[in-house]
Amino acid sequence: MAHSAETLYNGTKVFISENHRFGTDAMLLSGFCRPRRAERAVDLCSGCGIVALRWHDLGHRGECLSVELDAEGTDLLEQAVAEQPECGHIRPLNRDLNELKADGGYHLVAANPPYFTGGYVSPEAARATARHEGGCTLEQVAAAAARLLRDGGRFAMCNRPEHLARTCCILSAAGLEPKRLVFAKQTPKDAPWLFLLEAQKNRKPGLRFEPDIYMADETGRPSLQLQAIYRQGM
């Protein structure tokens, strides 16, 4: 399998292929929901493992399960872990999340799920799986996270703003109460293109809106805020 490597801020390598790359949304998600150093964490819909590897780059050393349905994505992460022994706490798992056995003991679960429920579907299986709900619906992601998490554990995800109301309803129904919300905008004057949401298992309602994230300032240059998130998370 042809692949190349991207190096994160603190030197961790991420292997990518034509079908399994990562973008700003994964970088923002991994910075938004950093696990504490020794916490047990899970990266669902992991693709090439970018969230798990970014957590490592930011200092996480606890057990980390990285679950991906497409075998090519899992292979990329396995190679990254094999070439970086310090990443040995990350366990790649090629598994349908509906078949994922859970002990209910994880502190943090994150997911960058498929965003689209309709429209054009790529004929390439890997790209279609990554972009469209089919074998991985938001309801299934929420159910898997609820099974994995301990009481009070955190679930974090990102999605398009038009799915926010539906997302909150689905998470609440699964016992994951929305607690933190951040919108990402291209510039301060633009409408948001992404939201980042953190929920907690079996907790009372109470949603906190946090300051927006801007990709660029008014001049079009990358914002200092974005640069800081890329270096050290939120």
Side-chain angles (χ1 to χ4, degrees):
M1 174 179 54
H3 67 271
S4 58
E6 296 279 352
T7 303
L8 300 177
Y9 185 78
N10 292 309
T12 304
K13 291 183 179 180
V14 183
F15 290 167
I16 61 173
S17 68
E18 183 176 352
N19 290 325
H20 291 281
R21 301 176 179 273
F22 63 90
T24 302
D25 51 357
M27 295 294 286
L28 293 177
L29 177 64
S30 55
F32 172 71
C33 63
R34 291 174 57 183
R36 297 179 180 86
R37 185 176 180 85
E39 284 186 334
R40 300 178 71 205
V42 184
D43 172 20
L44 297 177
C45 310
S46 68
C48 63
I50 174 57
V51 170
L53 290 167
R54 177 93 194 291
W55 283 342
H56 173 86
D57 199 65
L58 294 171
H60 182 233
R61 296 297 181 269
E63 176 190 345
C64 186
L65 185 63
S66 187
V67 184
E68 170 56 38
L69 179 62
D70 188 84
E72 181 181 314
T74 303
D75 287 345
L76 289 167
L77 179 56
E78 286 177 342
Q79 292 181 60
V81 170
E83 292 195 18
Q84 301 171 107
E86 64 274 16
C87 294
H89 62 102
I90 299 173
R91 181 161 68 95
L93 184 62
N94 178 216
R95 185 73 52 82
D96 185 326
L97 58 80
N98 298 307
E99 302 171 356
L100 190 61
K101 295 181 179 180
D103 63 6
Y106 288 91
H107 298 87
L108 173 64
V109 175
N112 184 0
Y115 292 162
F116 303 105
T117 56
Y120 172 78
V121 178
S122 173
E124 297 181 20
R127 186 164 296 179
T129 298
R131 293 173 59 84
H132 278 80
E133 288 191 20
C136 178
T137 67
L138 188 51
E139 288 86 352
Q140 292 167 339
V141 171
R147 295 196 306 271
L148 288 160
L149 286 168
R150 61 192 295 176
D151 209 40
R154 298 176 291 147
F155 171 63
M157 61 168 288
C158 57
N159 210 318
R160 298 293 172 86
E162 57 265 32
H163 298 306
L164 177 58
R166 172 176 171 250
T167 297
C168 288
C169 291
I170 289 171
L171 294 187
S172 292
L176 303 171
E177 193 60 41
K179 288 291 187 180
R180 296 172 58 214
L181 177 64
V182 174
F183 289 108
K185 300 179 177 181
Q186 188 60 35
T187 69
K189 65 180 181 181
D190 292 320
W193 64 273
L194 186 80
F195 72 80
L196 300 159
L197 181 65
E198 181 184 291
Q200 286 185 284
K201 182 177 177 179
N202 296 333
R203 288 296 182 261
K204 295 179 180 179
L207 179 61
R208 182 174 76 249
F209 287 76
E210 298 188 351
D212 295 339
I213 300 169
Y214 304 123
M215 302 297 101
D217 60 24
E218 291 80 356
T219 69
R221 296 178 180 176
S223 70
L224 295 177
Q225 181 190 26
L226 182 63
Q227 294 175 46
I229 292 172
Y230 270 48
R231 288 195 303 271
Q232 62 192 31
M234 298 172 65

